[in-house]
Amino acid sequence: MAELKNLKGIDEKDRKMLEDAEKLLGPEPATMGFIKNLVWGRIRQELVFPYPQPPADEKARCDAILSRLDPYLTNEHPASIIDQEQEIPDWVIKKLFELGVLGMTIPAEFGGGGLGITSYNRVLERIGQTCGSTAVLVSAHQSIGCKALMLFGTEDQKKRWLPRLANDWVSAFCLSEPNVGCDAGGQETRCELSEDGQYYILNGEKKWSTSAAISSLLTVMCKQKISDPATGKVSERVTALVCTPDMPGIEIFEKNRTKCGIRGTWQARLRFTNVKVPRDHLLHKEGKGLNVALSCLNYGRCTLSAGMLGGARTAYEQATKWAQTRYQFGRPLADFELIREKIARMSAWMYAMESMLYMTTGMLDRHDEDIPVETAVCKVFCSEMGMRCVDDAVQIMAGEGYMTENDVERIFRDSRINSIVEGANEVMRAYIFGYGGKQLAEKLLGVQEAVGWDTEAGPVPNAMRAVKRLFKPGVAKAAVGIGGEVFLGMRRKAPDFNGAITSVLQPHATRLGKLIQQHSHAFVIASKHYGEKIVSRQAVQGRLADSIIFIHAYACTLSRLDQQIRNAESGDKFESERAAANYFMDMAEQQVHDSLYRVFNHKDESMETAAAAALKYMDTQPNSKYYIHESSPNAKGTGRKPRTQGLKQFPGEKNPSNNG
């Protein structure tokens, strides 16, 4: 990004946030992905057309797993018992290993199924249709637990641990801490090399570690002091270590807590006290732990979306059947337009969620270079549209939808977590805006600095500077394009798809091109309008991020429908999907227009006034009336104690052995 010291009008907190974000983002890939090009007003159509498909032989192997899994989930899986008793029984985990589900992505040479990401997510979607808790267990084991080892482990490490992880060991990924959530780089757990160089001495605490209490292998993120060999400068960076729970000094002091949804999953709290971790348990390289964590999150965000898609599908189908068979005022609910609107909306969201999910997994399977923004968009879109779908389903079923004996109620509770975990959606929107538009923002700031108007200088110095710098190598070329938009209000031509789309869908392609043009222009004008202060205008960032999200969803939907038409699909199911796709693209277009309108036409001033007044009032209220975060830097220990009477407790143990 442009030199932070040159940015004007931002406070030190925002400057520090930018510096931390730069460290997290790392170097840019040489080739920008679909969404980053979208922000520039360009289309890399080869990244989304044709719609990605897994190889036929892999699809057949995945179908075989699903054919074994479906009868088990339909007839045997104790989803309600898992929810009510807040535990996934050992026999269920053993069954999932036997079915090949818990080892399906591990390479065959290490005893796994060797399936790709699309196949894996198809299985997660099916599990999500039946049990959200089980979907999370399977996802945490393979998307972040095993995946870290598969991506970054040495051959010796893979030979040592992957065969057990494919057949009888559950794994966990220990990233979050009492004071660390979305701020993945803020680890307070630390390690240092022992004097003899044989061990890392690990100290700290972890929170929200899914399945850690039943896991036999833990991937632990921790800070380490790293010396730069070139300069000798010492800095703290994140390192990833592989631990086993029986190592002396590891304490699982809380196995789980009673929670709203995904109640069968266990999120442990762990304490590490002078744990001696052998040096050959280092994963990847010292100081490269964030690389490990952020790479794994790309996979976890997809499997979260797959589980959400599965739950939403069950809710959508159940609610639609209910609307056809539940009568009020002598007519089925499906006769009423407000109910029909919900049914149409759910069907549209379902089609778009599925389209985006398997577009994203296709990108992962073919190892696209630049996909973090795409996985973040997938996570935000599926978690929010999925939750809206489930909410509509509960509304259609009314009182019965609220009853625990009906699956929709459990799906409703299980779904709420998805906009929180794997990066809270508020943080993801800032990420989508910031990382998705990073390169364009750099170019804009460069042009602005070269030929723009400095409000802190007078008219003569501005004019002299602009004329002088306009003819610098590279500046003139940039100024003709981006500068024309910034200073003259010119718009670049809307991109087209050069025959990539079947003719019957060409009107949709034209609309998509115009949306991309409008978004890119709005991004440029917003950068001029708000200047450097845009880095702290998160409400504005969120609206631009929403525009990106729905344009990308439009593109994924169009690509999938294009493939179905080219494949000559027909019948009632296809006609239902075609109508759902068309309706979604209409809704997405409207959403993009609304989001871009509100970039400049909003009520943020009165919002800020209301927020400030509410915060000022709450400052007058005693902390003792409210729950306060356990690690609060300004109020720790001053709040109300949580009431745990009547809630199931999950006490921990020191040095547990889960090594089978």
PDB file of all heavy atoms in Angstrom, residues 293-305:
ATOM      1  N   ALA A 293      -1.950 -20.633   9.214  1.00  0.00           N
ATOM      2  CA  ALA A 293      -3.312 -20.362   9.677  1.00  0.00           C
ATOM      3  C   ALA A 293      -4.188 -19.800   8.569  1.00  0.00           C
ATOM      4  O   ALA A 293      -5.311 -20.271   8.343  1.00  0.00           O
ATOM      5  CB  ALA A 293      -3.267 -19.392  10.864  1.00  0.00           C
ATOM      6  N   LEU A 294      -3.691 -18.789   7.859  1.00  0.00           N
ATOM      7  CA  LEU A 294      -4.515 -18.135   6.840  1.00  0.00           C
ATOM      8  C   LEU A 294      -4.768 -19.045   5.648  1.00  0.00           C
ATOM      9  O   LEU A 294      -5.834 -18.993   5.031  1.00  0.00           O
ATOM     10  CB  LEU A 294      -3.858 -16.836   6.396  1.00  0.00           C
ATOM     11  CG  LEU A 294      -3.718 -15.771   7.492  1.00  0.00           C
ATOM     12  CD1 LEU A 294      -2.975 -14.547   6.971  1.00  0.00           C
ATOM     13  CD2 LEU A 294      -5.070 -15.374   8.058  1.00  0.00           C
ATOM     14  N   SER A 295      -3.796 -19.912   5.327  1.00  0.00           N
ATOM     15  CA  SER A 295      -4.012 -20.872   4.236  1.00  0.00           C
ATOM     16  C   SER A 295      -5.110 -21.854   4.597  1.00  0.00           C
ATOM     17  O   SER A 295      -5.975 -22.182   3.769  1.00  0.00           O
ATOM     18  CB  SER A 295      -2.710 -21.622   3.930  1.00  0.00           C
ATOM     19  OG  SER A 295      -1.717 -20.742   3.452  1.00  0.00           O
ATOM     20  N   CYS A 296      -5.098 -22.330   5.840  1.00  0.00           N
ATOM     21  CA  CYS A 296      -6.124 -23.290   6.270  1.00  0.00           C
ATOM     22  C   CYS A 296      -7.504 -22.658   6.302  1.00  0.00           C
ATOM     23  O   CYS A 296      -8.509 -23.321   6.016  1.00  0.00           O
ATOM     24  CB  CYS A 296      -5.768 -23.850   7.647  1.00  0.00           C
ATOM     25  SG  CYS A 296      -4.335 -24.944   7.648  1.00  0.00           S
ATOM     26  N   LEU A 297      -7.575 -21.371   6.662  1.00  0.00           N
ATOM     27  CA  LEU A 297      -8.874 -20.713   6.732  1.00  0.00           C
ATOM     28  C   LEU A 297      -9.561 -20.655   5.376  1.00  0.00           C
ATOM     29  O   LEU A 297     -10.794 -20.632   5.299  1.00  0.00           O
ATOM     30  CB  LEU A 297      -8.719 -19.306   7.311  1.00  0.00           C
ATOM     31  CG  LEU A 297      -8.430 -19.241   8.816  1.00  0.00           C
ATOM     32  CD1 LEU A 297      -8.181 -17.806   9.256  1.00  0.00           C
ATOM     33  CD2 LEU A 297      -9.557 -19.858   9.621  1.00  0.00           C
ATOM     34  N   ASN A 298      -8.804 -20.636   4.287  1.00  0.00           N
ATOM     35  CA  ASN A 298      -9.426 -20.676   2.961  1.00  0.00           C
ATOM     36  C   ASN A 298     -10.287 -21.919   2.797  1.00  0.00           C
ATOM     37  O   ASN A 298     -11.345 -21.887   2.155  1.00  0.00           O
ATOM     38  CB  ASN A 298      -8.355 -20.654   1.869  1.00  0.00           C
ATOM     39  CG  ASN A 298      -7.763 -19.275   1.666  1.00  0.00           C
ATOM     40  OD1 ASN A 298      -8.434 -18.269   1.859  1.00  0.00           O
ATOM     41  ND2 ASN A 298      -6.507 -19.223   1.285  1.00  0.00           N
ATOM     42  N   TYR A 299      -9.817 -23.032   3.359  1.00  0.00           N
ATOM     43  CA  TYR A 299     -10.562 -24.291   3.255  1.00  0.00           C
ATOM     44  C   TYR A 299     -11.708 -24.323   4.268  1.00  0.00           C
ATOM     45  O   TYR A 299     -12.814 -24.774   3.959  1.00  0.00           O
ATOM     46  CB  TYR A 299      -9.618 -25.469   3.474  1.00  0.00           C
ATOM     47  CG  TYR A 299      -8.522 -25.536   2.438  1.00  0.00           C
ATOM     48  CD1 TYR A 299      -7.317 -24.869   2.616  1.00  0.00           C
ATOM     49  CD2 TYR A 299      -8.697 -26.249   1.259  1.00  0.00           C
ATOM     50  CE1 TYR A 299      -6.319 -24.908   1.651  1.00  0.00           C
ATOM     51  CE2 TYR A 299      -7.702 -26.294   0.291  1.00  0.00           C
ATOM     52  CZ  TYR A 299      -6.517 -25.620   0.490  1.00  0.00           C
ATOM     53  OH  TYR A 299      -5.539 -25.654  -0.467  1.00  0.00           O
ATOM     54  N   GLY A 300     -11.439 -23.827   5.490  1.00  0.00           N
ATOM     55  CA  GLY A 300     -12.478 -23.825   6.508  1.00  0.00           C
ATOM     56  C   GLY A 300     -13.664 -22.963   6.141  1.00  0.00           C
ATOM     57  O   GLY A 300     -14.805 -23.287   6.478  1.00  0.00           O
ATOM     58  N   ARG A 301     -13.420 -21.865   5.426  1.00  0.00           N
ATOM     59  CA  ARG A 301     -14.535 -20.990   5.047  1.00  0.00           C
ATOM     60  C   ARG A 301     -15.445 -21.659   4.030  1.00  0.00           C
ATOM     61  O   ARG A 301     -16.635 -21.371   3.972  1.00  0.00           O
ATOM     62  CB  ARG A 301     -13.981 -19.664   4.516  1.00  0.00           C
ATOM     63  CG  ARG A 301     -13.440 -18.790   5.623  1.00  0.00           C
ATOM     64  CD  ARG A 301     -12.671 -17.590   5.153  1.00  0.00           C
ATOM     65  NE  ARG A 301     -12.129 -16.866   6.300  1.00  0.00           N
ATOM     66  CZ  ARG A 301     -11.046 -16.122   6.281  1.00  0.00           C
ATOM     67  NH1 ARG A 301     -10.365 -15.972   5.158  1.00  0.00           N
ATOM     68  NH2 ARG A 301     -10.618 -15.513   7.377  1.00  0.00           N
ATOM     69  N   CYS A 302     -14.875 -22.541   3.214  1.00  0.00           N
ATOM     70  CA  CYS A 302     -15.713 -23.287   2.269  1.00  0.00           C
ATOM     71  C   CYS A 302     -16.537 -24.348   2.980  1.00  0.00           C
ATOM     72  O   CYS A 302     -17.742 -24.488   2.725  1.00  0.00           O
ATOM     73  CB  CYS A 302     -14.845 -23.932   1.192  1.00  0.00           C
ATOM     74  SG  CYS A 302     -14.232 -22.763  -0.040  1.00  0.00           S
ATOM     75  N   THR A 303     -15.906 -25.112   3.878  1.00  0.00           N
ATOM     76  CA  THR A 303     -16.668 -26.187   4.532  1.00  0.00           C
ATOM     77  C   THR A 303     -17.730 -25.623   5.464  1.00  0.00           C
ATOM     78  O   THR A 303     -18.796 -26.224   5.628  1.00  0.00           O
ATOM     79  CB  THR A 303     -15.727 -27.141   5.291  1.00  0.00           C
ATOM     80  OG1 THR A 303     -14.836 -26.386   6.121  1.00  0.00           O
ATOM     81  CG2 THR A 303     -14.920 -27.974   4.325  1.00  0.00           C
ATOM     82  N   LEU A 304     -17.457 -24.477   6.077  1.00  0.00           N
ATOM     83  CA  LEU A 304     -18.514 -23.802   6.842  1.00  0.00           C
ATOM     84  C   LEU A 304     -19.693 -23.509   5.922  1.00  0.00           C
ATOM     85  O   LEU A 304     -20.852 -23.744   6.280  1.00  0.00           O
ATOM     86  CB  LEU A 304     -17.960 -22.520   7.449  1.00  0.00           C
ATOM     87  CG  LEU A 304     -18.908 -21.604   8.215  1.00  0.00           C
ATOM     88  CD1 LEU A 304     -18.137 -20.824   9.274  1.00  0.00           C
ATOM     89  CD2 LEU A 304     -19.625 -20.597   7.306  1.00  0.00           C
ATOM     90  N   SER A 305     -19.399 -23.021   4.720  1.00  0.00           N
ATOM     91  CA  SER A 305     -20.453 -22.702   3.760  1.00  0.00           C
ATOM     92  C   SER A 305     -21.205 -23.951   3.326  1.00  0.00           C
ATOM     93  O   SER A 305     -22.427 -23.911   3.129  1.00  0.00           O
ATOM     94  CB  SER A 305     -19.842 -22.002   2.540  1.00  0.00           C
ATOM     95  OG  SER A 305     -19.190 -20.810   2.912  1.00  0.00           O
TER      96      SER A 305
END
